[in-house]
Amino acid sequence: MSDGYRESADSWADLLRDCRRRGMRAPVLAVGDGALGFWKALAVVFPETRHQRCWVHKIANVLDSLPKSAQPGAKKALQEIYNAEDRDSALVAVTAFEKTYGAKWPKAAKKITDDVDELLAYYDFPAAHWIHLRTTNPIESTYATVRLRAKVTKGAGSAAAALAMVFKLVESAQQRWRAVNAPPLVALVRAGARFERGQLVERPQTTAA
């Protein structure tokens, strides 16, 4: 954890480089919203890491591009995409969304079609992990506590004090974090196992000592 300048690429790159210096290997998948600074930094520090765009943020962005009368139906159509049983079914739902909303509201449709590969990246991972990978909500919910505290205190007084406050709040919040589903599969993902339709189809080859 470190402080930075808004969502700048330089601040994100400093954080990621620090993680790398302390021994973190390139993540297999990174999940984030549309913050360009994060993705630019990731491409520099961990270029091999795949991208997954957050569905919660994406849905909010799409609905903001639609009139209120169209939002309930659009939200249901978007849920049919990210809750689809597999990638092929999700792509069918994407096509249906584009057909329904693209003519009247092309900007809203393009927010999905332009990022479809990064929105559906989680389908290449274990089905048990999809719920964890579709959104940054696990992080956002943790920072809800931080934002509330910052609002009450009206500032921590200094950058060092703010960083210390955030660290202690997150340290406390982690006691309530939900454990990842199917934890043994995490090691297989890290080792390069291949998954199709959420199921393991190829184990990584082991190298003889």
Side-chain angles (χ1 to χ4, degrees):
M1 180 180 295
S2 67
D3 56 348
Y5 183 74
R6 298 184 180 274
E7 294 281 357
S8 75
D10 288 341
S11 293
W12 275 115
D14 287 343
L15 176 65
L16 295 175
R17 289 190 185 101
D18 183 56
C19 291
R20 187 174 61 185
R21 281 194 298 268
R22 291 185 288 117
M24 190 178 88
R25 291 182 291 161
V28 177
L29 182 73
V31 187
D33 60 13
L36 295 178
F38 173 68
W39 300 116
K40 287 180 180 178
L42 189 71
V44 172
V45 183
F46 294 122
E48 61 269 54
T49 297
R50 294 185 60 188
H51 299 182
Q52 168 65 48
R53 292 289 292 275
C54 171
W55 268 98
V56 171
H57 285 88
K58 178 60 73 174
I59 288 174
N61 290 337
V62 172
L63 296 184
D64 284 344
S65 301
L66 295 169
K68 288 186 177 180
S69 60
Q71 290 180 8
K75 186 175 182 180
K76 183 177 179 180
L78 293 171
Q79 290 172 338
E80 290 179 358
I81 299 173
Y82 72 77
N83 283 327
E85 62 180 354
D86 54 41
R87 180 189 291 272
D88 291 341
S89 299
L91 289 172
V92 170
V94 168
T95 300
F97 180 85
E98 183 181 20
K99 183 177 180 180
T100 301
Y101 296 96
K104 284 188 175 181
W105 304 287
K107 289 184 179 180
K110 282 177 65 64
K111 289 179 183 292
I112 296 298
T113 56
D114 285 358
D115 295 331
V116 67
D117 289 338
E118 295 184 352
L119 284 167
L120 304 183
Y122 64 93
Y123 279 113
D124 293 332
F125 294 86
H129 295 171
W130 291 355
I131 191 173
H132 304 301
L133 301 178
R134 289 189 294 235
T135 173
T136 59
N137 264 8
I139 295 174
E140 299 290 346
S141 59
T142 296
Y143 273 94
T145 302
V146 175
R147 285 191 292 269
L148 178 62
R149 182 68 174 176
K151 183 177 180 180
V152 170
T153 60
K154 297 181 179 179
S158 69
L163 195 60
M165 181 185 74
V166 172
F167 175 78
K168 294 303 293 184
L169 288 170
V170 173
E171 188 178 43
S172 175
Q174 73 178 3
Q175 298 174 15
R176 302 186 300 275
W177 285 352
R178 171 184 171 178
V180 65
N181 293 342
L185 294 178
V186 175
L188 288 176
V189 170
R190 165 54 79 181
R194 189 164 62 89
F195 292 81
E196 290 182 1
R197 299 178 181 271
Q199 303 300 316
L200 178 66
V201 295
E202 181 181 320
R203 289 182 176 272
Q205 294 183 352
T206 56
T207 303

